Amino acid sequence: MDSFEALIGKNINDVVLNESTTFFVAPVEYFYKNCGKRYPASKFKLADLNYFDPIDFTDLFKFESILIIWYCNEIITDLELYYLSNDFDVLFMDYYRIKKAIDNGDAHKLREGDTKYLGASRLNEKVLQPNSDKLANRRELVLKKKYLQKMLNEMGFKCR
């Protein structure tokens, strides 16, 4: 872990982040609210969602943990190894809801609010979907900001 710890204080744009064979590597930007509390700047993309060949849950979450590289103003401030396996039950239920909507020809009705941690984030392009004559927005599977906020809260950051 020493090589990762050397990242703290470096500019995120100057660091080459290679995929790991044992965990996800996720650079996640955060900001501060006026009260000093940290919050994630955006969702974290896991994969593109192909309606006709959706990725299996086990392939989507092939690792039990995620190394989050938190950065603010382009400077890496913290590292966290977060165990996704603690939340696999919720993530699986979210995945099941998304997959069920696709299988039922209701991909056009998917909303990120339908799920808790794993979202099917909408993209602008419309595409065909299985079992329906309606077009649906393309989507990507993401870890929602709410889930990233949960991770931040569990880290117990102090207000600045």
Side-chain angles (χ1 to χ4, degrees):
M1 196 70 148
D2 291 335
S3 61
F4 284 115
E5 290 172 352
L7 296 174
I8 294 177
K10 294 193 182 217
N11 188 303
I12 191 71
N13 300 315
D14 296 337
V15 175
V16 176
L17 300 172
N18 297 324
E19 284 298 313
S20 170
T21 57
T22 55
F23 49 78
F24 288 109
V25 177
V28 179
E29 184 175 17
Y30 68 89
F31 295 107
Y32 285 97
K33 291 184 178 182
N34 289 339
C35 67
K37 185 175 179 176
R38 294 181 184 196
Y39 68 100
S42 63
K43 313 165 213 175
F44 179 73
K45 177 184 172 182
L46 292 172
D48 289 321
L49 180 56
N50 178 343
Y51 294 135
F52 290 94
D53 186 21
I55 187 170
D56 289 327
F57 181 81
T58 53
D59 291 333
L60 183 62
F61 292 103
K62 59 186 170 196
F63 304 121
E64 290 187 20
S65 56
I66 182 170
L67 175 66
I68 304 176
I69 300 172
W70 297 102
Y71 68 97
C72 182
N73 298 322
E74 299 185 356
I75 302 300
I76 298 170
T77 60
D78 299 283
L79 303 172
E80 174 189 17
L81 189 60
Y82 188 86
Y83 291 93
L84 296 168
S85 55
N86 295 337
D87 300 315
F88 273 170
D89 54 341
V90 176
L91 290 165
F92 181 77
M93 288 307 300
D94 290 347
Y95 175 85
Y96 176 77
R97 283 187 186 101
I98 294 165
K99 178 100 169 62
K100 185 177 175 184
I102 294 167
D103 291 344
N104 291 338
D106 290 331
H108 62 285
K109 294 180 182 178
L110 279 172
R111 296 175 315 150
E112 273 191 72
D114 295 339
T115 56
K116 194 168 180 179
Y117 296 158
L118 178 68
S121 184
R122 182 181 295 190
L123 302 172
N124 288 332
E125 180 184 355
K126 296 232 180 194
V127 295
L128 292 173
Q129 63 173 316
N131 305 319
S132 177
D133 57 350
K134 294 188 178 186
L135 293 177
N137 287 80
R138 272 191 55 236
R139 300 194 183 250
E140 55 190 19
L141 295 170
V142 298
L143 295 179
K144 294 169 63 168
K145 285 174 74 171
K146 174 184 179 179
Y147 188 42
L148 297 173
Q149 184 66 55
K150 175 186 180 284
M151 293 176 190
L152 267 172
N153 294 345
E154 288 180 9
M155 285 179 66
F157 286 123
K158 306 270 191 267
C159 288
R160 41 177 203 164

